[in-house]
């Protein structure tokens, strides 16, 4: 079987991604049905904080019959200078897959280059593909299809925006990203880039936002970011300018009053807490796909 990593979301085709999302819906309906990881372990390295990613992967691996090995970066020999290459070689002798949350994308690329098991990006500075899978699952549940939908992302053109644009394009979702100058997403095939939030949300089936200061951003840039991004807050007025029936999404953690209002975060159009749950179902389908291979 060909070794497939999941570092940016571009590693699976649109057809493969759509199949994975169908499988995620099956797994959501019957969470203990698959024992795809029986007897296997999965290493999950965290060099940055996490609530959702850690819990959803840890519980998801257990539900698949496997054993999650949580590794905090500062407790590993990596923190004392052991190479990524040696870490990959050793972990590959013990586990069926390796997940890592870190800063530079080069770190996950280096780990993947030397691992003989699949490596999964649990968030880097530039990518968060597992989040995008859960977000697309949430859209699919809401609308019954993905092809032809429009998702507006309003705020910082960050890792979450990039992964939505990359993975969304694969399954026929048009992603429009509205961000101020200096915080815009670099071009992604198929994505619409603008600095006007109202242009982005026009006709959109979902309006998405994320924090204005990410884990891998320099803390000293926080004040300037908040000032530049203030006109991009997801509030009731912006949501009302989207298509009728549009839903509000946020990958969490949220900062109510900053990038999203409480009214939207807890309002009737949000599907944010479903999104958080869907991390587990989407990632279980991903683990099955990467470890067991494509369905026969
Ligand atoms: N959305 C997300 O990745 O959350 P955590 O940072 O809590 O894992
Ligand atoms: N953009 C955010 C996402 C958190 C899940 C960050 O990188 O901190």
């Amino acid at each position: 079987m060909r070794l497939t990593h999941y570092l940016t979301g571009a590693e699976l085709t649109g057809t493969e991604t759509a199949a994975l999302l169908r499988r995620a819906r099956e797994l959501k309906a019957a969470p203990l049905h698959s024992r795809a990881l029986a007897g296997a372990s999965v290493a999950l390295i965290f060099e940055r904080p996490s609530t959702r990613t850690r819990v959803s992967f840890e519980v998801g691996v257990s539900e698949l019959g496997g054993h999650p090995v949580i590794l905090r970066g500062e407790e590993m020999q990596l923190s004392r200078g052991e190479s990524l290459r040696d870490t990959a070689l050793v972990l590959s002798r013990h586990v069926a897959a390796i997940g890592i949350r870190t800063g530079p994308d080069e770190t996950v690329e280096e780990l993947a280059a030397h691992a003989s098991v699949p490596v999964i990006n649990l968030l880097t500075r530039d990518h968060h593909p597992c989040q995008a899978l859960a977000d697309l699952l949430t859209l699919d549940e809401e609308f019954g299809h993905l092809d032809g939908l429009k998702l507006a992302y309003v705020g910082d053109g960050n890792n979450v925006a990039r992964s939505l644009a990359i993975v969304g394009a694969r399954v026929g979702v048009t992603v429009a990203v509205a961000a101020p100058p200096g915080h815009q997403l670099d071009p992604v095939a198929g994505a619409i880039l603008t600095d006007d939030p109202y242009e982005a949300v026009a006709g959109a089936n979902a309006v998405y936002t994320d924090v204005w200061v990410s884990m891998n951003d320099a803390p000293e840039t926080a004040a300037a970011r908040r000032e530049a991004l203030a006109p991009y807050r997801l509030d009731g007025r912006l949501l009302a300018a989207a298509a009728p029936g549009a839903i509000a999404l946020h990958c969490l953690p949220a900062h109510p009053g900053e990038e999203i209002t409480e009214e939207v975060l807890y309002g009737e159009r949000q599907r944010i807490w479903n999104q958080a749950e869907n991390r587990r179902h989407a990632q279980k389908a991903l683990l099955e796909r990467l470890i067991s291979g494509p369905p026969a």
Side-chain angles (χ1 to χ4, degrees):
M1 194 185 93
R2 189 171 60 89
L3 178 60
T4 306
H5 302 296
Y6 204 65
L7 308 188
T8 69
E11 295 83 1
L12 295 183
T13 66
T15 307
E16 290 171 324
T17 305
L20 186 156
L21 294 171
R22 275 197 303 280
R23 180 63 180 150
R25 290 184 71 159
E26 289 173 10
L27 290 168
K28 184 169 182 174
L32 300 180
H33 177 70
S34 171
R35 305 299 287 170
L37 295 192
S41 296
V42 174
L44 301 165
I45 303 170
F46 286 93
E47 294 190 322
R48 295 288 183 278
S50 171
T51 297
R52 279 144 290 273
T53 305
R54 175 172 170 173
V55 172
S56 57
F57 263 101
E58 193 165 352
V59 174
V61 168
S62 298
E63 286 184 352
L64 290 170
H67 173 67
V69 181
I70 306 293
L71 298 161
R72 293 165 52 94
E74 69 270 23
E75 293 170 359
M76 297 178 71
Q77 295 290 5
L78 262 177
S79 68
R80 296 183 57 247
E82 187 170 24
S83 69
L84 288 161
R85 178 180 187 160
D86 292 2
T87 303
L89 292 172
V90 170
L91 291 180
S92 296
R93 297 294 181 106
H94 294 289
V95 300
I98 303 168
I100 179 166
R101 168 168 286 197
T102 186
D105 284 78
E106 293 75 12
T107 298
V108 289
E109 289 161 13
E110 174 85 2
L111 199 66
H114 297 290
S116 55
V117 297
V119 171
I120 302 171
N121 183 345
L122 307 184
L123 182 148
T124 50
R125 185 189 53 221
D126 291 340
H127 296 279
H128 198 3
C130 295
Q131 180 68 52
L133 288 176
D135 303 338
L136 292 167
L137 176 59
T138 309
L139 284 179
D140 195 16
E141 283 179 333
E142 181 72 21
F143 298 104
H145 67 100
L146 289 171
D147 194 31
L149 294 181
K150 179 181 179 187
L151 180 148
Y153 176 99
V154 178
D156 185 26
N158 61 16
N159 47 3
V160 168
R162 185 174 294 99
S163 291
L164 277 167
I166 292 172
V167 186
R170 290 183 129 52
V171 290
V173 176
T174 300
V175 176
V177 179
H183 301 277
Q184 291 200 340
L185 191 61
D186 44 300
V188 173
I192 298 167
L193 306 185
T194 174
D195 61 4
D196 180 351
Y198 283 87
E199 181 188 327
V201 305
N205 306 100
V207 185
Y208 197 123
T209 194
D210 181 20
V211 294
W212 290 342
V213 185
S214 284
M215 288 181 256
N216 286 304
D217 288 330
E220 59 272 22
T221 66
R225 292 177 156 278
R226 290 193 179 100
E227 191 182 334
L229 286 155
Y232 293 79
R233 177 173 298 118
L234 173 48
D235 58 15
R237 182 166 164 257
L238 187 62
L239 187 57
I247 58 172
L249 299 174
H250 191 310
C251 63
L252 301 173
H255 297 80
E258 277 195 24
E259 77 278 357
I260 191 166
T261 60
E262 282 207 17
E263 166 201 27
V264 175
L265 179 61
Y266 303 108
E268 63 175 25
R269 298 312 306 165
Q270 65 74 23
R271 297 293 181 271
I272 293 167
W273 315 101
N274 290 357
Q275 247 182 300
E277 176 186 337
N278 283 341
R279 292 290 304 274
R280 174 162 46 94
H281 310 303
Q283 290 159 188
K284 285 171 69 180
L286 177 67
L287 285 163
E288 271 194 355
R289 171 64 182 77
L290 298 183
I291 294 171
S292 311

